[in-house]
Amino acid sequence: MPEKDAIKSVAVIGTGPSGLSAVKALEEEKVFGMIRVFERRDRVGGTWLFDNEPDSFSSTLTTPKRNPIPDRFPSFQDALSEDTTSRTGLYSYLDSNVGATVMEFTHASIPKINSAISVRRFGQANPTRPWKIVAGYLEDIFSRYLNLVTFNTTVESVRKNASTGKWDIVLRQTKHVFKGQEKDYWWTESFDAVVVATGHYAVPYIPPIPGIEDWYVAWPEKLQHAKQYRSQDDYVNKSVVVVGGSVSASDFVVDNRLSVRQPLTISLRRQNANPALDNVWKLPGVIEKPTISRFTLENGGTIEFSDGSWVLGKDVDIIYFATGYRLSYPFLEPNPVTPHNRLAGFYQHTFSVDDPTLAVVGQIRAALSFRSYEYQAVAVARVFAGRGNLPSVPEQKAWEEERVKRLGPTHIFHTIAPDFGEYFEALRSIAGPPAKGTEAYELPEWRDDWAAKGFRVLELKDEYVKKVAAQEKYLAKL
């Protein structure tokens, strides 16, 4: 960038793994006069924080919108109700599902500690890590940058000011007591550039199945999203229909199959099912159904499947949606999320094509987690520092158009696997070498064994499932 357009101030939104990646990379460039980080929670960690009380299913049926903006700044306003989507989907015994040696940042190893349940299932020194270990790992690294963070602060609006060329950000900080009452404090700040690092595991996604909203009104206790999962005890002797064919669905089946009231029904879209999980759906006590075509209030409630079969609502205690999450950036103006749940207009899922001073870190799927965020963040920091190697705008647009044609216009657009090498090397090329005299470092070249190590956890889960199935088959013959 020309000197007159040099970026001196940067705002980072979020303090999860992607936010940490961004803050660290920006700080190491040693060219930004001000780096400010805004976090709506009271601590760092993002999706790796644990909330004993989960989000509610009602959040899945509403589209996140901006709160009304006050007429003047700064000002105290009546405290708004909590946005429950900020609560995470962690449960007490959760382990990582990406191999730790590849999931971790290249500059720091996650402590080599396993949970008791993972050792029983996958053996000693297995590649999973308990969530508490991962959360502590993130806290340790972030401790160096806490002076840059403003907590309990929600970003309500991010808009480019045509007159100043800066990004005007509207901020709301909670937990203030003003004249004896709890209030929210609103103010604005302006920055040369913005990094959005809010992740994509906040707003649960529910397929738009006809009749589901009427069902929720009639029987709200019967509908759950995987984000609400906290304990196996909640499902003992319950009749459950699991919707979804990915890892969270398979984990529920493996963990709860023997304690729920059998059969445990799994509703799959076969064309999108993960072949690595096929053995889970074949376990004893599990029956497979196609997608749910509609919910009705007839006969006290029915659940109809696309093959014409159905079950009565009175015979089902819980319909458990393991159906992923919606992209949500309601504070960005204009909002870049399409009706098909895709972040539009961002080269390599990271750089705004229309404005090189706006970037997103963390908006990718099946991408080896923290390590991919690190590569994105380093590339962003060096572009903002004026040293990155972004291609021309026409080339960036052509990349997006080709990808939409190949992968479609949905969230699948953001899936990196199996093209890891291509993606990581593209980010390395954009980042280029580190500047002399800084703390920045050379991003390691992609190694093919990273993918194998990253997905080793899925292989171990499959081996465990096959072992369990064989044991049960043997016992059934006795």
Side-chain angles (χ1 to χ4, degrees):
M1 293 181 184
E3 186 59 31
K4 66 182 180 65
D5 296 327
I7 292 173
K8 295 300 181 185
S9 60
V10 185
V12 177
I13 308 172
T15 63
S18 52
L20 169 56
S21 301
V23 174
K24 182 178 185 297
L26 291 165
E27 179 72 10
E28 288 174 344
E29 289 299 310
K30 302 301 179 187
V31 297
F32 305 109
M34 180 172 65
I35 301 170
R36 293 268 277 139
V37 189
F38 302 107
E39 168 56 50
R40 64 180 176 174
R41 301 292 298 264
D42 59 358
R43 57 214 154 109
V44 303
T47 193
W48 291 92
L49 297 175
F50 176 78
D51 291 295
N52 188 58
E53 186 69 24
D55 192 3
S56 64
F57 189 84
S58 61
S59 72
T60 69
L61 301 177
T62 58
T63 301
K65 297 179 181 178
R66 284 196 300 117
N67 292 313
I69 305 296
D71 295 329
R72 58 187 177 85
F73 302 102
S75 67
F76 283 105
Q77 303 290 328
D78 290 341
L80 298 176
S81 58
E82 179 198 2
D83 176 7
T84 59
T85 64
S86 66
R87 300 176 189 175
T88 70
L90 288 186
Y91 48 90
S92 60
Y93 64 94
L94 180 139
D95 287 311
S96 63
N97 60 21
V98 177
T101 59
V102 179
M103 170 182 169
E104 65 197 13
F105 302 120
T106 64
H107 53 77
S109 295
I110 300 175
K112 294 176 174 58
I113 298 173
N114 291 126
S115 69
I117 190 171
S118 74
V119 171
R120 289 196 299 269
R121 290 181 175 183
F122 313 134
Q124 297 283 348
N126 67 73
T128 70
R129 296 292 183 268
W131 72 263
K132 288 184 180 180
I133 299 302
V134 178
Y137 167 77
L138 296 173
E139 281 189 297
D140 285 341
I141 300 174
F142 220 128
S143 62
R144 181 177 177 182
Y145 310 105
L146 289 178
N147 61 303
L148 306 176
V149 183
T150 302
F151 290 105
N152 297 315
T153 300
T154 299
V155 172
E156 297 287 351
S157 172
V158 176
R159 178 187 294 179
K160 191 66 174 283
N161 188 315
S163 299
T164 65
K166 292 180 177 290
W167 293 95
D168 292 339
I169 300 183
V170 177
L171 300 153
R172 177 176 61 90
Q173 191 170 57
T174 61
K175 304 185 186 302
H176 282 279
V177 175
F178 182 68
K179 296 182 179 181
Q181 293 184 314
E182 184 171 311
K183 297 283 186 178
D184 290 346
Y185 182 68
W186 294 71
W187 80 101
T188 63
E189 295 188 31
S190 298
F191 297 87
D192 296 325
V194 176
V195 180
V196 179
T198 50
H200 54 278
Y201 296 110
V203 181
Y205 172 77
I206 299 294
I209 301 171
I212 191 169
E213 295 192 10
D214 292 336
W215 245 67
Y216 180 68
V217 171
W219 303 287
E221 73 284 352
K222 289 181 179 286
L223 300 177
Q224 287 187 12
H225 186 273
K227 191 185 182 189
Q228 297 172 260
Y229 184 89
R230 287 298 181 272
S231 172
Q232 293 171 283
D233 294 341
D234 297 333
Y235 305 91
V236 174
N237 202 33
K238 299 285 181 66
S239 174
V240 182
V241 175
V242 177
V243 181
S246 196
V247 175
S248 56
S250 68
D251 285 348
F252 182 93
V253 171
V254 171
D255 291 350
N256 297 281
R257 172 181 58 96
L258 298 179
S259 56
V260 301
R261 186 164 74 249
Q262 292 188 352
L264 173 57
T265 300
I266 180 77
S267 171
L268 295 174
R269 283 192 304 172
R270 257 300 165 191
Q271 68 271 29
N272 290 328
N274 187 335
L277 305 175
D278 274 351
N279 287 314
V280 174
W281 323 134
K282 298 173 184 176
L283 282 168
V286 178
I287 61 171
E288 185 178 327
K289 287 283 189 179
T291 56
I292 297 175
S293 58
R294 69 170 181 158
F295 292 90
T296 78
L297 302 182
E298 299 171 6
N299 302 312
T302 60
I303 307 161
E304 299 182 7
F305 298 96
S306 58
D307 63 354
S309 63
W310 48 272
V311 294
L312 292 176
K314 67 180 181 63
D315 295 328
V316 175
D317 295 305
I318 296 171
I319 303 165
Y320 183 89
F321 288 90
T323 46
Y325 292 81
R326 281 190 282 170
L327 280 63
S328 180
Y329 302 100
F331 50 85
L332 285 179
E333 302 181 47
N335 192 326
V337 178
T338 71
H340 295 292
N341 205 31
R342 181 177 74 88
L343 181 67
F346 282 78
Y347 177 64
Q348 297 293 351
H349 319 280
T350 306
F351 301 92
S352 172
V353 177
D354 293 333
D355 194 318
T357 61
L358 175 65
V360 172
V361 173
Q363 184 48 67
I364 40 181
R365 303 171 70 254
L368 302 184
S369 198
F370 301 176
R371 186 159 301 191
S372 57
Y373 307 158
E374 174 188 353
Y375 277 61
Q376 288 180 321
V378 170
V380 167
R382 294 181 188 170
V383 167
F384 282 5
R387 300 190 301 99
N389 305 301
L390 276 179
S392 67
V393 169
E395 290 176 283
Q396 294 180 48
K397 290 182 176 179
W399 172 88
E400 182 174 27
E401 291 169 359
E402 184 278 330
R403 195 170 182 86
V404 169
K405 289 179 182 177
R406 180 161 55 92
L407 297 177
T410 70
H411 65 288
I412 302 300
F413 172 92
H414 299 295
T415 301
I416 302 304
D419 304 318
F420 296 109
E422 176 185 337
Y423 188 63
F424 276 73
E425 287 304 305
L427 293 172
R428 285 186 73 244
S429 176
I430 293 169
K436 294 181 179 179
T438 69
E439 297 178 6
Y441 55 96
E442 186 84 38
L443 287 171
E445 293 183 9
W446 167 260
R447 289 170 37 186
D448 288 338
D449 66 333
W450 286 359
K453 290 178 178 178
F455 289 110
R456 178 57 180 154
V457 176
L458 287 181
E459 293 178 353
L460 287 170
K461 287 185 175 184
D462 188 48
E463 291 170 13
Y464 171 74
V465 166
K466 287 189 285 190
K467 181 172 66 175
V468 166
Q471 289 174 340
E472 292 185 12
K473 185 177 181 179
Y474 170 78
L475 292 173
K477 292 180 179 180
L478 295 180

